[in-house]
Structure formats: structure tokens, C-alpha cells
Amino acid sequence: MSKKVISAADEAKINFAFDNATELLKNQKARGERIELNILRGDTPTFMEYPLAAKPEDLKGVDAAIVGIPFEGLTIQTPSIMAPPTCGRPEPGSVYWRMGADVGLDNIRKYSIYYSVKHNRGYFPEIDKEMVMEDYIQVRDYGDVPYTPDDIEGNLERAEKRVAEVVAAGAMPIIFGGDHTVPTPTLRAILKPREKKAGLIVFDSHMDLSCEPKNWASTEWNQVLELGKISPDNFVVIGIRGVRNSIFEKNVAKELGHRVITIDEMKDRGIKDVMDEAIRIATDGTDGIYMSLDIDVMDPSQVVSQKAPEFWGMTMDEMFHAVRRISREKVIGLDINEYTPDYDVNGMGAQFCARIAAEFLGGLALRKRDGLK
């Protein structure tokens, strides 16, 4: 550090000038100093207007970081044909073949403005009547992973590297997809350095237990389980329904023996009872829970912006009860995926995704306030 060469009187004068100007402005009718917007790019703000982390060093001391993985691999064109990501996109309003999960991240960030920390520093009275989130946690938006449709492997490698930087900083990754391939690179980054087992709770209408073709939104659990850090005994999937679960997946699920809770079982038992069981399974002998949310677990009447809508899904009441329960546990990561803006109405799907993430930040703040790790 260079030595100051001005006099102590000059230094005091400089300090007083700025401090006094700030104090005087409180009673003067004039604009304050301009504040730089927290902008990710263009007119897209950072998530909840948290500060942007432009490089790994910016993650120092951070508790959670938002990462966008705008990945979309193979998509289902017809019940028997899949289209590669380089294929031309379907026309707006396409009934069965839907794309667009790779272009929804800006929308989620824009609608996160409803939960901006500029409102009140993260005070959600329904989460806790006294707690202000910014008193306990630091959050950064770590931007989006570069995406090239014709480079599937490269996209996933870049995603794993970006998430690994968050993990190395000691922060919890909150991932916005992209399609349901995003848990693959995310959990590789989270689980590789861990020495203990993790629990996995998935909300989805599909089992996603295919193994071919690789790297699409139905083979992620095959690849994640191969990492050897999650036991089928600690794996729960909630909300399964519809005819798009294959016979192959049925056979895999039977052999794995992991807990598969169909939508009818959840409705019959009630979400409170189901979540008691899910938490018990996911925390049994593990060191943290990872949650994956495919928004097609929701009933389309509640969240319309889905790639694979299926009626008789979860309601808002059910989902937010589940989120409140999981977010109070030790969470090691979260992904929210399959949001498709072409099918959204008034941005409500984007706002739903943003609110889910905000709930997990609230749970993280509560745990820090209460001294829980």
C-alpha cells in the first residue's frame, strides 16, 4: 500500500466534505447520487436485483449463487420421434412438440423483480415475521453458461465448470434451466468433492429413467446415480403420472426400488404426510438434500408454461408446502427447469419459478439465523 503524502488536515477536510454533503442532502430537495442498476444484460436485471458476480473471485463469502443453464437437448417431436437441438423450432402454438426451455432465463429474472431485495432487503413476513434475509445471507447472480445448440457435450462441460466454481466458493447453487438435463452437470459439480451420501427429492410427472439417447431430459438420473454419491434408498420422486412414462422406466424403477410417489398417492395421503416420508428418506444417513423441480409436476391450470403438460398435477398449496419443508433442511443445491416462455400467460410461470428460488433463499437465511449448517 502506498503511503499518503497529504496532511492530516487535508485528509480530514476531504472526509468531512463527502460526509457532510451526504448529511445535508437528507434535508435538501435534490436528487441523490445515481445508483448503478443491477443488470445482467440488455434490459434483463439480475435475479431479485442481487449483485452480479462476473468472475469466481466475486463469489467469496457468498451463501448462494444463481446460475442459468440455458440448455435444451433432444426434444420430443412426436410420440415416436425426437428432434436434435439444431432442428428448426416448431411454430408458436405447437401442440405436442414444444421447445424454448433454453430461452426462458431472462423472463424468470425479469419477473423476479416482484421479489427484488430493493423493496425491503428480503423481508417476507410469511416466511418469518421478523427475519430480513439480507441480514443473514449474501447472494449473487453468476449469470448464464454459454450455450451452443450443436455442442451438447461442450455445453454440459461448461455448465459443470460454472457450478463447480460456486461449490468451491462454499455457496449453494440455485440453477435455472434449461430442460431437465441440467441436474446432470449440476450434480457432477456438487457431488464429486463430497465424501458423504446426499439425498435426492425430485418433483416431476415423469420418472426420467431412460439411459439412451444420452444427454436429454430423461436420462439425467441414470447419469447422476452412476456418480456413486446417491443411494436409491435416499431417492424420492413425487408427482408421477400420465402415459409418457415408458415400460423400460417402469422396469428400472422396480429394480432400483427407490420411492416413487404417484400423483394419486400424493392426493390421497395429502402433501404433509408425503413430505414427512420424503424428508425422512432423503435425510437418512445423508449429508444434505438436492431438490430438482420439473415444472410439469404442476397442474397446467396452475402453471401453464410447460413443455410437457399433464393434467391432475400439483397445486400451488401443495408445492409451496413441499418447498417450505425442504428449504428448512440442509439443502446442497436446487434446480428449476422446463419453463417455456412461449406458453406462459402474463409471466406467471416465470414468476412462479422466481418465487420457488426466493423460498429457498428464505430457508437458507432462517438456518443461518438459527445457527444451523
Side-chain angles (χ1 to χ4, degrees):
M1 183 181 293
S2 60
K3 185 178 180 181
K4 294 180 179 179
V5 295
I6 62 174
S7 68
D10 280 346
E11 186 174 3
K13 180 188 292 186
I14 292 168
N15 291 337
F16 178 78
F18 286 97
D19 291 344
N20 190 51
T22 300
E23 189 63 31
L24 290 172
L25 191 62
K26 294 177 181 178
N27 298 310
Q28 294 172 333
K29 293 183 178 181
R31 70 164 180 83
E33 288 303 296
R34 294 181 177 89
I35 299 173
E36 184 177 351
L37 291 173
N38 283 320
I39 290 290
L40 179 65
R41 56 178 165 262
D43 64 344
T44 300
T46 54
F47 183 75
M48 289 175 61
E49 294 194 286
Y50 278 115
L52 177 66
K55 52 188 182 300
E57 296 77 38
D58 298 336
L59 296 171
K60 184 178 180 180
V62 168
D63 298 286
I66 307 299
V67 177
I69 303 181
F71 180 89
E72 189 163 54
L74 296 166
T75 51
I76 300 175
Q77 195 170 39
T78 74
S80 59
I81 297 173
M82 289 190 292
T86 51
C87 187
R89 292 178 182 265
E91 292 296 320
S94 174
V95 174
Y96 193 83
W97 182 27
R98 297 185 176 197
M99 295 180 69
D102 58 322
V103 295
L105 308 187
D106 281 6
N107 231 28
I108 294 172
R109 286 186 172 96
K110 287 175 181 178
Y111 279 87
S112 77
I113 203 75
Y114 282 98
Y115 309 116
S116 170
V117 289
K118 300 290 181 66
H119 288 302
N120 56 20
R121 302 180 56 249
Y123 171 54
F124 287 77
E126 69 275 34
I127 292 176
D128 188 271
K129 291 182 179 179
E130 300 297 330
M131 184 193 70
V132 176
M133 284 162 45
E134 287 211 313
D135 288 342
Y136 299 98
I137 60 172
Q138 291 191 53
V139 182
R140 297 290 182 270
D141 190 324
Y142 200 29
D144 293 345
V145 177
Y147 172 64
T148 306
D150 61 358
D151 185 18
I152 289 179
E153 292 291 345
N155 292 324
L156 297 177
E157 288 172 5
R158 287 187 288 274
E160 181 179 345
K161 182 177 182 294
R162 180 73 65 97
V163 178
E165 290 167 349
V166 174
V167 174
M172 179 178 75
I174 296 179
I175 309 300
F176 289 118
D179 69 20
H180 211 169
T181 311
V182 300
T184 304
T186 301
L187 280 164
R188 283 174 183 161
I190 292 173
L191 296 178
K192 282 180 179 178
R194 297 182 72 86
E195 297 180 354
K196 296 181 179 180
K197 293 193 303 179
L200 174 61
I201 298 179
V202 180
F203 293 89
D204 199 342
S205 61
H206 310 109
M207 289 188 279
D208 289 358
L209 292 174
S210 298
C211 59
E212 294 292 341
K214 188 179 178 183
N215 294 330
W216 74 290
S218 193
T219 63
E220 68 275 15
W221 305 131
N222 169 282
Q223 298 187 65
V224 165
L225 291 172
E226 285 181 346
L227 297 171
K229 300 294 180 75
I230 295 174
S231 166
D233 292 342
N234 303 121
F235 178 14
V236 185
V237 58
I238 300 169
I240 298 300
R241 65 191 191 278
V243 301
R244 282 178 277 193
N245 293 285
S246 72
I247 301 301
F248 177 88
E249 292 171 301
K250 175 182 80 72
N251 294 337
V252 172
K254 183 177 180 180
E255 294 300 327
L256 280 178
H258 69 304
R259 188 66 173 97
V260 178
I261 301 175
T262 65
I263 196 68
D264 279 53
E265 180 182 351
M266 191 212 75
K267 299 286 187 183
D268 288 344
R269 291 174 54 191
I271 189 63
K272 183 179 184 300
D273 189 37
V274 163
M275 290 314 300
D276 285 344
E277 181 188 5
I279 296 292
R280 184 171 65 252
I281 291 171
T283 58
D284 184 14
T286 66
D287 183 34
I289 298 173
Y290 183 89
M291 176 179 144
S292 183
L293 170 60
D294 183 331
I295 67 169
D296 67 30
V297 77
M298 301 297 294
D299 194 273
S301 66
Q302 306 272 300
V303 179
V304 301
S305 48
Q306 303 178 18
K307 285 181 63 179
E310 185 66 55
F311 278 102
W312 188 232
M314 290 183 70
T315 66
M316 289 290 178
D317 286 352
E318 291 163 344
M319 175 51 66
F320 281 100
H321 175 86
V323 165
R324 291 281 172 89
R325 291 293 309 280
I326 297 174
S327 64
R328 301 314 186 254
E329 301 292 328
K330 180 180 180 181
V331 177
I332 60 174
L334 161 72
D335 69 72
I336 303 162
N337 59 78
E338 296 281 340
Y339 166 71
T340 309
D342 282 355
Y343 296 86
D344 206 350
V345 176
N346 297 327
M348 292 297 96
Q351 189 175 343
F352 167 77
C353 294
R355 178 62 194 237
I356 294 290
E359 288 282 344
F360 273 86
L361 293 174
L364 182 60
L366 283 172
R367 288 182 64 84
K368 284 206 73 177
R369 183 197 67 181
D370 297 340
L372 300 173
K373 295 183 179 180

Coordinates of all heavy atoms in Angstrom, one line a residue, residues 59 67 69 142 145 157-169 171-175 182 185-190:
L59 N -17.5 -14.5 -5.9 CA -18.3 -15.4 -5.1 C -17.8 -15.5 -3.6 O -18.4 -16.2 -2.8 CB -18.4 -16.8 -5.7 CG -19.0 -16.8 -7.1 CD1 -18.8 -18.2 -7.7 CD2 -20.5 -16.5 -7.0
V67 N -27.4 -19.5 -11.0 CA -26.7 -19.9 -12.3 C -27.8 -20.3 -13.3 O -28.6 -21.1 -13.0 CB -25.7 -21.0 -12.1 CG1 -25.0 -21.4 -13.4 CG2 -24.6 -20.6 -11.1
I69 N -28.5 -22.2 -16.7 CA -28.0 -23.2 -17.7 C -29.0 -23.3 -18.8 O -30.0 -24.1 -18.8 CB -27.8 -24.6 -17.0 CG1 -26.8 -24.5 -15.8 CG2 -27.2 -25.6 -18.1 CD1 -26.6 -25.8 -15.1
Y142 N -24.7 -15.3 -10.8 CA -23.5 -15.7 -11.5 C -23.7 -15.9 -13.0 O -22.9 -16.5 -13.7 CB -22.9 -17.0 -10.9 CG -21.4 -17.2 -11.1 CD1 -20.5 -16.1 -11.4 CD2 -20.9 -18.5 -11.2 CE1 -19.2 -16.4 -11.6 CE2 -19.6 -18.7 -11.4 CZ -18.7 -17.6 -11.6 OH -17.4 -17.9 -11.9
V145 N -24.5 -19.9 -18.3 CA -23.5 -20.7 -19.0 C -23.6 -20.5 -20.5 O -24.8 -20.6 -21.0 CB -23.6 -22.2 -18.7 CG1 -22.6 -23.0 -19.4 CG2 -23.4 -22.4 -17.2
E157 N -20.2 -29.6 -20.2 CA -18.9 -29.3 -19.5 C -18.7 -27.9 -19.0 O -18.3 -27.7 -17.9 CB -17.7 -29.6 -20.5 CG -17.6 -31.1 -20.8 CD -16.6 -31.4 -21.9 OE1 -15.9 -30.4 -22.4 OE2 -16.4 -32.5 -22.4
R158 N -19.2 -27.0 -19.8 CA -19.1 -25.6 -19.3 C -20.1 -25.4 -18.1 O -19.7 -24.6 -17.2 CB -19.5 -24.6 -20.4 CG -18.4 -24.5 -21.5 CD -18.8 -23.4 -22.5 NE -19.9 -23.8 -23.4 CZ -19.7 -24.5 -24.5 NH1 -18.5 -24.9 -24.9 NH2 -20.7 -24.9 -25.3
A159 N -21.2 -26.0 -18.1 CA -22.2 -25.9 -17.0 C -21.6 -26.5 -15.7 O -21.7 -25.9 -14.7 CB -23.5 -26.6 -17.4
E160 N -20.9 -27.7 -15.9 CA -20.3 -28.3 -14.7 C -19.2 -27.4 -14.1 O -19.1 -27.2 -12.9 CB -19.7 -29.6 -15.1 CG -19.1 -30.4 -13.9 CD -18.6 -31.7 -14.2 OE1 -18.9 -32.3 -15.3 OE2 -17.8 -32.3 -13.4
K161 N -18.4 -26.8 -15.0 CA -17.4 -25.9 -14.5 C -17.9 -24.7 -13.8 O -17.4 -24.3 -12.7 CB -16.5 -25.4 -15.7 CG -15.3 -24.5 -15.3 CD -14.5 -24.2 -16.6 CE -13.3 -23.4 -16.2 NZ -13.7 -22.0 -15.7
R162 N -19.0 -24.1 -14.3 CA -19.6 -22.9 -13.7 C -20.1 -23.3 -12.3 O -19.9 -22.5 -11.3 CB -20.7 -22.3 -14.6 CG -21.4 -21.1 -14.0 CD -20.5 -19.9 -14.1 NE -20.2 -19.5 -15.5 CZ -20.8 -18.6 -16.2 NH1 -21.9 -17.9 -15.7 NH2 -20.5 -18.3 -17.4
V163 N -20.9 -24.4 -12.2 CA -21.4 -24.8 -10.9 C -20.3 -25.1 -9.9 O -20.4 -24.8 -8.7 CB -22.4 -25.9 -11.1 CG1 -23.0 -26.4 -9.7 CG2 -23.6 -25.5 -12.0
A164 N -19.3 -25.8 -10.4 CA -18.1 -26.2 -9.6 C -17.5 -24.9 -8.9 O -17.0 -25.0 -7.8 CB -17.1 -27.0 -10.4
E165 N -17.5 -23.8 -9.6 CA -16.9 -22.6 -9.1 C -17.8 -22.1 -7.9 O -17.3 -21.5 -6.9 CB -16.8 -21.5 -10.2 CG -15.7 -21.9 -11.2 CD -15.8 -21.0 -12.5 OE1 -16.8 -20.3 -12.7 OE2 -14.8 -21.1 -13.3
V166 N -19.1 -22.3 -8.1 CA -20.0 -21.9 -6.9 C -19.7 -22.8 -5.7 O -19.6 -22.3 -4.6 CB -21.5 -22.0 -7.4 CG1 -22.4 -21.8 -6.2 CG2 -21.8 -21.0 -8.5
V167 N -19.6 -24.1 -6.0 CA -19.4 -25.0 -4.9 C -18.1 -24.8 -4.2 O -18.0 -24.8 -3.0 CB -19.5 -26.5 -5.5 CG1 -19.1 -27.5 -4.4 CG2 -20.9 -26.8 -6.0
A168 N -17.0 -24.5 -5.0 CA -15.7 -24.2 -4.5 C -15.7 -23.0 -3.6 O -14.9 -22.9 -2.6 CB -14.7 -24.0 -5.6
A169 N -16.6 -22.1 -3.8 CA -16.7 -20.8 -3.0 C -17.5 -21.1 -1.7 O -17.6 -20.2 -0.9 CB -17.4 -19.7 -3.8
A171 N -20.8 -21.8 -1.7 CA -22.1 -21.3 -1.8 C -23.1 -22.4 -2.4 O -22.6 -23.4 -3.0 CB -22.1 -20.1 -2.8
M172 N -24.3 -22.3 -2.1 CA -25.4 -23.2 -2.6 C -25.8 -22.8 -4.0 O -26.2 -21.6 -4.2 CB -26.6 -23.2 -1.7 CG -27.7 -24.1 -2.2 SD -29.2 -24.1 -1.1 CE -29.9 -22.6 -1.5
P173 N -25.7 -23.7 -5.0 CA -26.1 -23.3 -6.4 C -27.6 -23.4 -6.5 O -28.2 -24.4 -6.1 CB -25.4 -24.4 -7.2 CG -24.6 -25.2 -6.3 CD -25.0 -25.0 -4.9
I174 N -28.2 -22.4 -7.1 CA -29.6 -22.4 -7.4 C -29.7 -22.3 -8.9 O -29.3 -21.2 -9.5 CB -30.4 -21.3 -6.8 CG1 -30.4 -21.5 -5.2 CG2 -31.8 -21.2 -7.3 CD1 -31.2 -20.4 -4.5
I175 N -30.1 -23.3 -9.6 CA -30.0 -23.4 -11.1 C -31.4 -23.2 -11.7 O -32.4 -23.8 -11.4 CB -29.5 -24.8 -11.5 CG1 -28.2 -25.2 -10.7 CG2 -29.3 -24.9 -13.0 CD1 -27.1 -24.3 -10.9
V182 N -30.4 -30.5 -16.9 CA -29.5 -29.7 -16.1 C -29.0 -30.3 -14.8 O -27.9 -29.9 -14.3 CB -30.1 -28.3 -15.9 CG1 -30.3 -27.5 -17.2 CG2 -31.3 -28.3 -15.0
P185 N -25.0 -32.0 -15.1 CA -23.7 -31.3 -14.8 C -23.8 -30.6 -13.4 O -22.7 -30.5 -12.8 CB -23.7 -30.2 -15.9 CG -25.1 -30.0 -16.3 CD -25.7 -31.4 -16.2
T186 N -24.9 -30.3 -13.0 CA -25.0 -29.6 -11.6 C -24.6 -30.6 -10.5 O -23.8 -30.3 -9.7 CB -26.5 -29.1 -11.4 OG1 -26.8 -28.2 -12.4 CG2 -26.6 -28.5 -10.0
L187 N -25.1 -31.8 -10.6 CA -24.8 -32.8 -9.5 C -23.4 -33.3 -9.7 O -22.8 -33.7 -8.7 CB -25.9 -33.9 -9.5 CG -27.1 -33.4 -8.7 CD1 -28.3 -34.4 -9.0 CD2 -26.9 -33.3 -7.2
R188 N -22.9 -33.4 -10.9 CA -21.5 -33.7 -11.0 C -20.6 -32.8 -10.3 O -19.7 -33.1 -9.5 CB -21.1 -33.7 -12.5 CG -21.6 -34.9 -13.3 CD -21.2 -34.8 -14.8 NE -21.7 -35.9 -15.6 CZ -21.9 -35.8 -16.9 NH1 -21.6 -34.7 -17.6 NH2 -22.4 -36.9 -17.5
A189 N -20.9 -31.5 -10.4 CA -20.1 -30.4 -9.8 C -20.3 -30.5 -8.2 O -19.3 -30.3 -7.5 CB -20.5 -29.1 -10.3
I190 N -21.5 -30.7 -7.8 CA -21.8 -30.7 -6.3 C -21.3 -32.0 -5.7 O -20.7 -31.9 -4.6 CB -23.3 -30.6 -6.1 CG1 -23.8 -29.2 -6.5 CG2 -23.7 -30.9 -4.6 CD1 -25.3 -29.1 -6.5

